Amino acid sequence: MVSNETVDRARGIADPILSDEGMELVEIEYRRESKGWVLRLYIDKPGGVTLDDCTRISQEVGRNLDVEDFISIPYTLEVSSPDSRVL
């Protein structure tokens, strides 16, 4: 399935970036929602993540995704903490 391949490739890009920052990728989703396709990363670190952490990771991962350019349809990249997940 294309979305599984996308998730795997995005994970391969995000994991080293997060590791360098002392963070971990808790979950990754790639799915179609009402506003279009969304690639959503949930990140965490000891003590929790801040908005600045999410912004920094979003910019860095986004740059790397743009370089790799393997997602052929428009999407939104979202980075947040596991606490923001809708359960």
Side-chain angles (χ1 to χ4, degrees):
M1 177 178 253
V2 173
S3 83
N4 286 341
E5 179 182 327
T6 300
V7 165
D8 290 344
R9 289 185 71 180
R11 182 183 308 278
I13 288 169
D15 275 338
I17 293 167
L18 290 164
S19 180
D20 287 348
E21 295 283 340
M23 300 181 204
E24 68 172 321
L25 182 60
V26 175
E27 187 177 346
I28 187 168
E29 300 173 346
Y30 180 63
R31 58 192 232 182
R32 184 159 177 77
E33 297 184 350
S34 60
K35 60 185 175 183
W37 283 91
V38 177
L39 178 63
R40 188 173 290 118
L41 309 179
Y42 293 102
I43 63 173
D44 205 2
K45 71 177 184 184
V49 296
T50 65
L51 181 57
D52 287 342
D53 291 330
C54 292
T55 300
R56 188 174 65 255
I57 296 303
S58 177
Q59 291 170 347
E60 185 67 22
V61 170
R63 275 193 295 271
N64 283 270
L65 288 169
D66 288 347
V67 168
E68 294 293 323
D69 195 29
F70 63 90
I71 302 175
S72 59
I73 57 173
Y75 68 96
T76 301
L77 174 63
E78 294 181 2
V79 178
S80 61
S81 73
D83 296 334
S84 67
R85 284 186 293 191
V86 177
L87 301 175

